[in-house]
Amino acid sequence: MAEAHQAVAFQFTITPEGIDLQLSRQALGQIYRSGLRCWKKRLSRMKNRVLKGVYPASPSSWLFVVIVILATMYTQSDPSMGLITKIQEHLPLSAQGQTMVSALLFSTLLWLSLILALRFCLKVLLSYHRWMFEQHGRISTITKVWVSLVRLLSSRTPLLYSYQTSLPHLPVPAIRDTLERFLESVRPLQSPADFERVSRLAADFERTLGNRLQRYLKLKALWATNYVSDWWEEYVYLRGRSPIMVNSNYYGMDFLYVTPTSNQAARAGNTITALLLYRRKVNREELKPSRIPGTVIPLCAAQCERMFNTTRAPGEETDVLQHWQDSEFVAVYHRGRYYRLWVYRAGRLLSPREIQYQIQKILDDPSPPQAGEEKLGALTAGNRTPWARVRKQYFSSGVNKRSLDCIEKAAFFVSLDEQEEGMKGDDPEGNLDCYAKALLHGKCYDRWFDKSFSVVVFKNGKTGLNAEHSWADAPTVAHLWEFTLATDAFQLGYDIDGNCRGEVEHSLPPPQRLTWDIPPEAQVSESLAVAQALADDVDCHVFPFMEFGKGRMKKLKISPDAFIQLSLQLAYYRDRGGFCLTYEASMTRLFREGRTETVRSCSSESCAFVLALEDRVATLIQPIAVCLFRKAAEKHQNLYRLAMTGSGIDRHLFCLYVVSKYLGVDSPFLKEVLSEPWRLSTSQTPVQQMELFDLVNHPEFISLGGGFGPVADDGYGVSYIIVGENMVNFHVSCKHSCKETVSERASSTRKQANYFSVKKRVLYCTMNTQRTLT
C-alpha cells in the first residue's frame, strides 16, 4: 500500500473545524515532472513539424528573404511588380506600417512559393531512376548532374521524415508491360500447351477487362498517396483469418558467438533501455533517414510511425491496427504471469540498472498464475475470428479489459523465458534450430503475437524478437534491432559482474501484476491446439556459411544477391528435380509509403544456367557455363531494379484483382495468377548500420539475422543475411507434413540430420556456383 499512497497527490478529511487538506510534495513533484515531459514532447513535435514542413529550406531562410525584399525596396525598386502596393491598399495602417506589413506578407508568400518550388524540384529529381540501370563505373553525364542537384537540395541536415513530402508517388505500370513481364516469368515453368493457354488468357484480359480496371487504378493513384500499400496491408495481412504465428510473423536473432551477459535481468534491462532510446530518436525524428547504400537517395520512413505503442486488434472479418501516441510502460510475461512495468518515473526514463532491478523482482516473484492466465497468449496465436469473438465477449469490460489494455497499449511486449537458447552445448547446430523455433513460435502462449514486436530474453541472457508483419516489413525492424544490439553491447555495457551500469532508486514501485477473470468458455485451449499443431509442423534450420562471402562475389563482379539467388535455384532443382515460382522480396520505399514488390527470381536465364550446370557435357565447357551464369545474374539484377522502381508484376496484378472484386466482375486470368503457390519464398535481411559494428576489431559480434515460416505448405522459406565480407547466414524453414520437402525424407535418428540435405544442397550449390566462375 505504500506505493499507492505515494501516488496520491493530496488527501483531505472533514473535521468540525473545517476541511483538513494534506498535500504530498513528493507526489506533486512527480506529477509536475511528468507533465513537464509531456509538454516538452509536444513542443518538440511542433518544432519538428515546422522544420520538416519547410524542408529543403530552413526557417531562417524566411529572414533572409525578408531582408532581401526590404533592401530592394530601400533602393526604390519594387520586387513584387506591384503586388506590395495592392496589399498596402487593403491595410488600415499608417503609411510606414503599410509598407512594413505588406513587405512582410509578400516576403512570406515568396518564401512559401520558393519552398514549394524546391520541394517540387526535389520530387522531380527523386523520380529519376535511370541511374539504377547504368553499368557500374559507367555513369552518364545526366546522372552525374542529377547526383549533384540532389546533393545540393539535400545539403541541409534532414529529420527522419523530412523527405516524405518530396518522395514521388508509386507509378502505375502500363498493363501491356506488366502482362509481357508476367508471361516472360512463367515461360520456363510451364509446358508449351499451358503457356499458350495462359497467353490467350492474358491477351483476352488485356483486350476486354484489363483496360477498364486500369482506369480505376490510375484514378486511385491520382487520389491516394500510394495505390498499393493500403490494400496490401488490409487484404494480405489484416483480412487473413489464419494464425499470424508462423504464417505472418517473423523473428530476429541475437549475436551468433557473443552473449554480452548471462544475467537475464541485466540483459533485459539494457535491451529495454536501448529500445526506448530508439523510440526517443523516432519521436524526436533524430534518426537519419534511411538511404540506398552508397547513395544520397532517401527511402520512405513512414513505417517507423507505428513501430512502438501499436497492436493488431482482432476482428471477425478484418483486424485493425491500433496505435497510441505514447506509452510509459512495457508489458512483461514470465512463468504464466503478466505484469505492467513502468519505465518512466516523474518524466525520467529509468536507468538500465533500475530496469534490471524491476525485472529481477518479476523473476523472483513466487506467485502462481491466475486461473486461465498462463496460456492466455495462445488466443493471439490461433485463428483470428475465434479470438475476435472471445475478445468481444470476455475482454470488452471490467478487469479483463483493463489488463488487456495494459498489454495492447504498452510500448512493446517482453517475454522472460525459462529455457536457455543459442549456439551452445554438444550440438550447436541443432540448438540453433531450437533457438529459431523458440523465437518463431515459442510455446505458442508465451508471446503476444498481436504486438508490433515482442522481445524475448532467455535464461542464459540470449535475446531475440518476434515481429508482427502488417505494420512494417523486415528492413524497418532490422534497423531497430541493429541499433538495439549495438547500443546494448557497445554503448550501455555491463560491469565486471555482468550487471547493468547505473544507480538504483530503491523507492521505485514494484511492477504491477495484471489481474484477470477468465472463464473456461474463453476458448484458450482451442486456440492453443490450433497453434500447437502449426508449431509442431514447422521445421527450421539455421546455419552460417563461411567458405566465402560478399568479398569474393564482388571480386568476380557479380551481385551478391544474384549469386545467392542463383545458388538457391540450383539447390531447389537438385532437391525437387524441377523449377518453381520463386518469390524474393524487394522494397519500393523509393516511393512514398512504399512497401514491397516481388522479384520473380526463377527466370529463363537462371533455368538455362542450372540446366547447363547439371549437364556434365556442358559443364566441361566452362566458358559456356560462366556466360550463362553472368546472363542469369544480370537478368536477376534487372528484375530487381524494375521491382524497386515501380515496374514489378505482382503488386500491379494484385491491385487489378482488388478493383475487379469491387466492381463485382470475374477474371479467369487474374484468378489463376493470384492462386499460384510460391514454393520457394526468399528474402535478404539487409545490414543497414555497419558503422555501429566494428567487425575488424570485434569479429565475434556477428548478427545471425532472422527468418520466417514457409509460405506454401509444400515449399521452403529461405532468409539470408550477408555479414561482412566472408559470411552468409541462412535460415531455412519447411513443414514436416509435406512428404516432398527434405526434412520429411531425411533420417530422423538425430535432430541435426533432420535438415541436412537442405543445408548441404545450399552449401554445395553455392560453392559450385563460385567454382564455375573461378
Side-chain angles (χ1 to χ4, degrees), residues 40-104:
K40 284 182 178 179
K41 290 182 68 175
R42 290 176 184 173
L43 291 174
S44 176
R45 289 192 186 106
M46 290 176 59
K47 173 188 172 185
N48 288 341
R49 287 193 189 103
V50 173
L51 291 175
K52 66 188 179 187
V54 302
Y55 193 86
S58 64
S60 59
S61 61
W62 174 81
L63 183 61
F64 174 78
V65 174
V66 170
I67 292 173
V68 169
I69 294 300
L70 290 175
T72 307
M73 293 176 63
Y74 182 76
T75 61
Q76 304 301 318
S77 299
D78 184 5
S80 69
M81 294 181 291
L83 185 57
I84 291 178
T85 304
K86 290 288 185 182
I87 296 174
Q88 288 176 345
E89 293 174 356
H90 297 84
L91 296 176
L93 300 172
S94 62
Q96 187 175 2
Q98 286 180 344
T99 303
M100 182 60 66
V101 172
S102 61
L104 288 174

Side-chain angles (χ1 to χ4, degrees), residues 239-259:
R239 282 187 179 266
R241 301 294 84 198
S242 59
I244 61 175
M245 183 197 77
V246 175
N247 293 326
S248 178
N249 287 28
Y250 52 95
Y251 65 87
M253 284 185 165
D254 198 0
F255 296 118
L256 175 59
Y257 301 114
V258 176
T259 304

Side-chain angles (χ1 to χ4, degrees), residues 13-20:
T13 56
I14 300 176
T15 66
E17 290 78 17
I19 298 177
D20 182 16

